[in-house]
């Protein structure tokens, strides 16, 4: 869900590279992003009926909400009226996106720089209920990090060798296509794949949230909390008025 984290919710992640350099989607942290063709198809259909009105940024925000709902998550209201940015540079990623090897201090600092709280941090981390991570991504966690369930670690090491790139593993083992709170149960049991997942246990407030949500598959308040935090994240760096533009095609500036 960190598609809104770099410049904000202005769809810069959808732009293709230019002669000025690689785009955000070309950066290492974003290489696993998928679905650009789906957004392009939606934009094309909207432009035929309502040209120059609906931004790619709004489409992306709505698509994120609908994807969560289609996988079993709760509905939340998506504010609209955003405009699209014109610049996308991969070199800006490192200073903005949270890395999977961040400790809790780095995570809190990163989220705070975007106006998000510790609660937003632990709630939005719950997006890891969907998706996967490569062997390369979890290698340090697997071979140089002690707080990992030994049985789980042994299972992973059978497939993920030191320095390996592939295969990929479900972030939420056994529930990676359903938006639920099972992720928090895994974290509580020291079975979170990422260092940043395990880091949620290193702060009193985030640890308490993990424990509370892990008591049931649906989570005590996770669905509602996630919607609220997504609404908040959707307000980061929004362009309105004469700022930016309404792109005709999401991968290209007008």
């Amino acid at each position: 869900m960190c598609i809104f984290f770099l410049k904000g919710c202005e769809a810069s992640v959808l732009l293709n590279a230019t002669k000025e350099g690689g785009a955000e989607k070309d950066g290492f942290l974003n290489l696993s992003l998928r679905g650009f063709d789906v957004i392009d198809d939606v934009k094309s259909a909207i432009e035929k009926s309502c040209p120059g009105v609906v931004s790619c940024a709004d489409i992306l925000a709505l698509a994120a909400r609908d994807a969560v709902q289609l996988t079993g998550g709760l509905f939340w209201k998506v504010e609209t009226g955003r405009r699209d940015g014109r610049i996308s540079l991969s070199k800006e990623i490192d200073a903005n996106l949270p890395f999977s090897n961040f400790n809790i201090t780095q995570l809190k600092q990163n989220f705070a720089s975007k106006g998000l709280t510790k609660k937003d941090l632990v709630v939005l981390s719950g997006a890891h209920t969907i998706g996967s991570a490569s062997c390369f991504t979890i290698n340090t966690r697997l071979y140089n990090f002690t707080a990992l369930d030994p049985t789980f670690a042994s299972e992973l090491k059978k497939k993920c060798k030191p320095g390996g790139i592939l295969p990929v593993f479900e972030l939420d083992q056994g529930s990676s296509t359903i938006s639920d709170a099972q992720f928090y149960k895994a974290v509580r049991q020291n079975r979170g794949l990422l260092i940043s997942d395990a880091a949620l246990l290193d702060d009193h407030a985030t640890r308490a949230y993990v424990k509370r949500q892990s008591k049931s598959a649906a989570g005590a308040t996770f669905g509602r909390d996630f919607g609220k935090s997504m609404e908040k994240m959707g307000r980061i760096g929004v362009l309105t008025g004469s700022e930016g533009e309404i792109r005709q095609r999401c991968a290209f500036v007008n």
Side-chain angles (χ1 to χ4, degrees):
M1 298 299 177
C2 290
I3 50 176
F4 303 147
F5 243 71
L6 192 47
K7 294 180 181 299
C9 195
E10 42 85 270
S12 55
V13 73
L14 300 178
L15 286 170
N16 286 346
T18 67
K19 61 183 180 181
E20 295 180 4
E24 291 173 29
K25 65 170 66 171
D26 304 315
F28 179 76
L29 289 183
N30 286 334
L31 290 179
S32 62
L33 291 180
R34 299 290 184 269
F36 295 108
D37 56 330
V38 176
I39 300 298
D40 289 340
D41 289 345
V42 172
K43 177 63 172 174
S44 178
I46 291 176
E47 283 296 303
K48 290 178 182 178
S49 301
C50 190
V53 175
V54 182
S55 69
C56 299
D58 277 350
I59 292 172
L60 194 57
L62 290 162
R65 188 272 313 279
D66 292 349
V68 170
Q69 191 177 24
L70 286 170
T71 53
L74 297 182
F75 177 92
W76 69 85
K77 180 182 178 181
V78 174
E79 297 168 324
T80 55
R82 303 170 183 82
R83 288 170 66 83
D84 300 318
R86 296 189 178 98
I87 299 173
S88 180
L89 298 173
S90 61
K91 64 183 181 182
E92 295 181 341
I93 290 176
D94 288 358
N96 287 277
L97 291 186
F99 282 67
S100 62
N101 63 352
F102 271 11
N103 60 39
I104 191 63
T105 299
Q106 292 170 311
L107 288 169
K108 288 189 291 187
Q109 290 173 342
N110 183 269
F111 274 67
S113 72
K114 304 297 182 182
L116 299 173
T117 65
K118 283 195 292 186
K119 182 175 182 180
D120 294 318
L121 160 61
V122 67
V123 169
L124 292 171
S125 293
H128 292 169
T129 182
I130 299 290
S132 59
S134 68
C135 171
F136 177 83
T137 301
I138 69 171
N139 225 264
T140 299
R141 166 95 165 118
L142 191 54
Y143 290 100
N144 300 294
F145 205 82
T146 56
L148 183 62
D149 176 77
T151 301
F152 185 48
S154 178
E155 294 172 0
L156 294 173
K157 287 178 179 179
K158 292 176 182 178
K159 299 180 180 180
C160 180
K161 304 304 180 182
I165 305 297
L166 296 173
V168 296
F169 300 89
E170 297 176 345
L171 285 170
D172 186 358
Q173 298 284 309
S175 181
S176 67
T177 60
I178 302 172
S179 293
D180 58 19
Q182 288 290 89
F183 162 78
Y184 295 108
K185 182 178 180 180
V187 171
R188 186 178 185 181
Q189 295 175 337
N190 292 319
R191 295 169 71 92
L193 278 184
L194 307 180
I195 292 174
S196 58
D197 294 340
L200 298 175
L201 298 176
D202 295 333
D203 173 89
H204 174 75
T206 56
R207 181 172 64 252
Y209 188 88
V210 168
K211 289 182 177 180
R212 187 163 64 253
Q213 303 307 321
S214 68
K215 293 179 180 179
S216 69
T221 60
F222 171 63
R224 295 191 300 277
D225 292 341
F226 189 78
K228 290 178 181 178
S229 289
M230 283 296 289
E231 286 181 39
K232 192 172 179 181
M233 189 164 69
R235 300 184 188 119
I236 297 174
V238 169
L239 303 178
T240 58
S242 61
E243 300 173 309
E245 63 184 14
I246 304 295
R247 290 184 216 142
Q248 296 175 357
R249 294 184 295 169
C250 291
F252 308 93
V253 296
N254 293 341

